Amino acid sequence: MWLFLVALVGLWTLLCFFRERQVVSHLQDKYVFITGCDSGFGNLLARQLDRRGMRVLAACLTEKGAEELRNKTSDRLETVILDVTKTESIVAATQWVKERVGNRGLWGLVNNAGISTPSGPNEWMKKQDFASVLDVNLLGMIEVTLSMLPLVRKARGRVVNISSVVGRVSLFGGGYCISKYGVEAFSDSLRRELSYFGVKVAIIEPGFFLTGVTSSARLCSNIQMLWDQTSSEIREIYGEKYLASYLKSLNELDKRCNKDLSVVTDCMEHALTACHPRTRYSAGWDAKLFFIPLSYLPTFLVDAVFYWTSMKPEKAL
């Protein structure tokens, strides 16, 4: 009996291994549009796919970012300036893409653009602090997707949305975790709707990697700004020691983040080039061994873990 089960597991593993390594044909003829290519995952993915011979259409927020990317890639790669919070910018970028892909359609759409601040204790923030993050990470992503969808459908292509482990487990307040939960929900509904048209949707859930989103300097500056703008009552309740502990933990974040961004971009590339892409990709050992398993635990256990390991306000019960 046990021998039969071992053989069955072995055969299943071999089948999965074989399926995962089947690659789509004629990659050099396929166009991929990537948002947020100024730096981080988007920048690395654009260079990675360009080296593989694909036709990369890279959207950058700034002309400086676009120029630096062009200097590091082949003549195949083209750039466009895109602000995902502005409808007119999305419409213009969609028309730009349409002119390039023609009747072939758009094989891959990678929604990578994102910001992480303002983030912090919810009580320190105003509605606009939440809205500014949601506008980029969720609403901007949705509008880009809806605008590009006819081109992706024409190619029976792929949509790859960048979520996070905080789309599974909410680790802190503000709009970032909310936006990533939204990315998960939107991607799930989109995948089911588009399955009838041969379009596949994949979600990438990275752990903590060293990018602009996790920059200690940027996050510390954000927390200090939130602290300075909040009310005297809130500052009294939380206390200076809480602020100091918060800033100390953020200052140590750079050391804890994985510096190898290719762990994530390899998942993104697989989602675009594999015949049988996964629905979800967990990138990084912290995601695989801690955050994703944590998301399946009963809520009261997860709450207890955070209660006993996190810093406490000065006037907590």
Side-chain angles (χ1 to χ4, degrees):
M1 179 66 179
W2 286 110
L3 189 60
F4 173 76
L5 287 174
V6 169
L8 196 62
V9 170
L11 285 172
W12 176 254
T13 304
L14 283 173
L15 177 62
C16 291
F17 182 85
F18 176 72
R19 278 173 56 87
E20 290 239 323
R21 276 149 185 79
Q22 289 182 291
V23 178
V24 173
S25 60
H26 306 297
L27 288 177
Q28 68 277 6
D29 297 326
K30 299 190 184 302
Y31 284 86
V32 177
F33 181 75
I34 311 167
T35 67
C37 290
D38 297 76
S39 61
F41 299 137
N43 186 278
L44 179 58
L45 178 66
R47 291 184 278 126
Q48 200 167 310
L49 296 182
D50 179 62
R51 286 195 300 270
R52 191 152 183 182
M54 298 186 76
R55 297 183 177 275
V56 178
L57 304 174
C60 298
L61 181 61
T62 66
E63 183 54 50
K64 179 185 176 183
E67 184 179 355
E68 289 177 353
L69 179 58
R70 287 194 300 269
N71 290 337
K72 295 176 181 176
T73 53
S74 73
D75 293 338
R76 282 189 309 275
L77 183 141
E78 298 182 73
T79 60
V80 65
I81 302 303
L82 172 64
D83 183 342
V84 299
T85 66
K86 292 182 169 57
T87 297
E88 60 272 20
S89 181
I90 294 172
V91 170
T94 303
Q95 181 59 34
W96 179 85
V97 171
K98 189 175 183 179
E99 290 169 359
R100 278 147 185 80
V101 303
N103 292 326
R104 282 170 292 194
L106 181 64
W107 172 256
L109 167 61
V110 182
N111 286 304
N112 168 74
I115 60 174
S116 58
T117 57
S119 289
N122 289 310
E123 211 174 6
W124 295 15
M125 282 180 270
K126 301 179 177 67
K127 177 184 175 181
Q128 185 52 43
D129 294 323
F130 289 84
S132 61
V133 177
L134 292 170
D135 276 347
V136 177
N137 295 3
L138 182 57
L139 298 179
M141 180 210 71
I142 290 172
E143 188 169 11
V144 169
T145 303
L146 297 179
S147 187
M148 297 281 181
L149 217 45
L151 299 175
V152 178
R153 189 188 295 109
K154 184 176 287 188
R156 296 170 64 90
R158 310 285 171 83
V159 178
V160 180
N161 293 330
I162 312 308
S163 181
S164 168
V165 290
V166 300
R168 295 286 203 102
V169 183
S170 189
L171 300 181
F172 44 84
Y176 189 74
C177 296
I178 297 170
S179 72
K180 294 306 181 182
Y181 268 75
V183 169
E184 299 270 341
F186 175 69
S187 301
D188 282 342
S189 62
L190 191 70
R191 184 183 64 255
R192 289 158 189 155
E193 292 169 359
L194 296 182
S195 64
Y196 301 106
F197 305 104
V199 175
K200 299 180 187 299
V201 179
I203 306 168
I204 314 295
E205 299 172 331
F208 283 81
F209 287 81
L210 190 57
T211 67
V213 166
T214 55
S215 164
S216 289
R218 181 176 296 174
L219 293 173
C220 285
S221 174
N222 156 74
I223 286 297
Q224 189 64 59
M225 177 201 71
L226 293 175
W227 175 262
D228 292 340
Q229 76 179 16
T230 196
S231 67
S232 56
E233 178 188 5
I234 295 298
R235 288 199 293 271
E236 183 182 348
I237 289 171
Y238 280 85
E240 294 284 348
K241 287 184 178 179
Y242 181 92
L243 173 64
S245 296
Y246 208 131
L247 290 172
K248 182 181 178 183
S249 66
L250 291 177
N251 272 316
E252 295 172 352
L253 186 61
D254 284 350
K255 301 173 186 174
R256 300 200 298 267
C257 287
N258 192 334
K259 296 178 176 60
D260 184 7
L261 305 189
S262 67
V263 173
V264 178
T265 57
D266 285 348
C267 292
M268 297 157 82
E269 181 179 344
H270 187 272
L272 291 165
T273 62
C275 290
H276 307 285
R278 303 177 204 168
T279 301
R280 279 176 166 80
Y281 294 81
S282 55
W285 289 113
D286 56 342
K288 294 178 188 296
L289 299 180
F290 182 69
F291 291 111
I292 302 299
L294 190 69
S295 70
Y296 288 105
L297 292 179
T299 302
F300 80 93
L301 283 178
V302 180
D303 288 350
V305 169
F306 282 99
Y307 184 85
W308 292 111
T309 59
S310 62
M311 62 202 86
K312 310 293 189 298
E314 193 171 294
K315 296 195 174 180
L317 295 176

